[in-house]
Amino acid sequence: MGLMDKLSLKPGVVYGEDVLKVFQYAKEHKFALPAVNVTSSSTVVAVLEAAKETRSPVILQVSNGGAAFFAGKSVPNSNQEASVAGAIAAAHFVRSIAPIYGVPVIMHSDHCAKKLLPWLDGMIDADEAFFKEHGTPLFSSHMIDLSEEELKWNIETTSKYLKRSQPLNLWLEMEVGLTGGEEDGVNNEDVDNNSLYTQPEDILAIYEALSPISKYFSIAAGFGNVHGVYKPGNVRLHPELLGKHQAHVAKKLNDGQEKPVFFVFHGGSGSSKDEFLEAISYGVVKVNLDTDLQWAYLVGHRDYILNNIDYLRTQVGNPEGAGNPNKKKYDPRVWVREGEKTMKARTIEAFQDFNTAGQL
């Protein structure tokens, strides 16, 4: 008997208490859910196929830029209208297609910095409207990332958004301590390394501020994380810090919980399996993956084009004959599918690395 039977989950997008139960189960059984950034229906399908094949729960997430891409690059976005519309479209698509893959899915929005808060407001507006009609939010969860701001303002503002989310049973992820590198237009490549490591006192302050509002929250704490992929040795992760954070909060609570905090691992691309497993042992229940899967998606397209280049130069004419048509080679259903296959294979690897495979 796996997660779905034990938690009485139905396939498709899950919300509220079911999200909490999935994360609690993951923490107890020492696995984490891969959170994969998707930018199109094609990338959604690649991840859902991997989840189905490995019998794994999964998180699908859209970044601000990814959501805008989902809407279409020609759509103006000066007021976040493309990012709001694209995120909503992605959520509806995932809601409609996920059940047929037979796996539970958490539909999430990724990093929302201070300058992007109108995007988060627009998505929660959609959640409220959807909740009024259907009794559930449109999304499962959102992320607010005010890690570049002063801690007091970060906590106060995050608390306001958690209060707004609470009646909708929305999960809220927040970040404290910077994630280095660059992703989706947010560049922290030149920050002081000390900023990449969160302090236990900060985690306790966040927990004490948020837990009276709602139990539906998680913390992306910095332990040297960096977005992107770098040469071995260039990134120094210290997942053991998460264990110290848990111990600090547990001591203060003194209620028998050894690992009271739900942690999130950002900047997971390029990390070793041992680093993932150590972080998971300290209460990480979600690991973000983007860069590695962008590369994986490209590889399928790249290799197909290189291997079939003589059939892709013209619509008619190839090594087999000057009059032979090439439609079966350039049909998007052929070459786009090759990218889905390689992205799916890399996602399966992540499910295996995080102990997620077979949990259903």
Side-chain angles (χ1 to χ4, degrees), residues 55-169:
R55 298 288 297 157
S56 306
V58 69
I59 299 171
L60 295 175
Q61 59 188 29
V62 287
S63 67
N64 180 266
F69 187 85
F70 216 105
K73 290 292 287 185
S74 66
V75 180
N77 203 31
S78 58
N79 297 310
Q80 299 301 317
E81 57 266 50
S83 291
V84 171
I88 291 171
H92 279 295
F93 177 71
V94 172
R95 279 182 62 91
S96 65
I97 206 73
I100 66 173
Y101 285 87
V103 299
V105 176
I106 293 173
M107 185 64 209
H108 180 69
S109 65
D110 201 9
H111 292 270
C112 180
K114 181 180 179 180
K115 65 182 180 180
L116 302 178
L117 287 176
W119 176 48
L120 180 56
D121 291 330
M123 290 186 290
I124 298 180
D125 287 344
D127 285 314
E128 290 171 337
F130 198 87
F131 189 92
K132 186 175 181 179
E133 184 174 354
H134 301 281
T136 66
L138 178 61
F139 294 82
S140 310
S141 61
H142 297 292
M143 182 194 179
I144 182 169
D145 178 5
L146 305 177
S147 57
E148 293 184 318
E149 314 304 324
E150 190 266 329
L151 180 62
K152 183 174 182 290
W153 193 84
N154 182 351
I155 295 175
E156 289 176 350
T157 307
T158 298
S159 296
K160 291 177 183 177
Y161 277 92
L162 189 60
K163 288 176 182 176
R164 186 181 177 191
S165 300
Q166 190 273 334
L168 308 175
N169 298 319

Side-chain angles (χ1 to χ4, degrees), residues 31 50 118 121 129 158 161-162 192 223 229 236 267 271 293 316 335 347:
F31 70 90
D121 291 330
T158 298
Y161 277 92
L162 189 60
D192 182 349
F223 54 97
V229 178
R236 297 185 63 187
S271 300
L293 294 176
V316 178
W335 58 268
T347 307

Side-chain angles (χ1 to χ4, degrees), residues 271-325:
S271 300
S272 71
K273 182 175 180 179
D274 287 343
E275 287 169 333
F276 286 131
L277 293 179
E278 184 177 1
I280 289 168
S281 74
Y282 296 128
V284 164
V285 296
K286 173 179 180 278
V287 180
N288 282 16
L289 286 176
D290 187 18
T291 306
D292 279 358
L293 294 176
Q294 290 177 347
W295 175 253
Y297 191 62
L298 167 69
V299 165
H301 298 142
R302 180 201 66 193
D303 291 352
Y304 177 82
I305 291 171
L306 291 176
N307 291 334
N308 292 276
I309 191 64
D310 290 334
Y311 295 84
L312 301 175
R313 298 183 188 279
T314 58
Q315 285 187 285
V316 178
N318 58 50
E320 297 173 21
N324 286 2

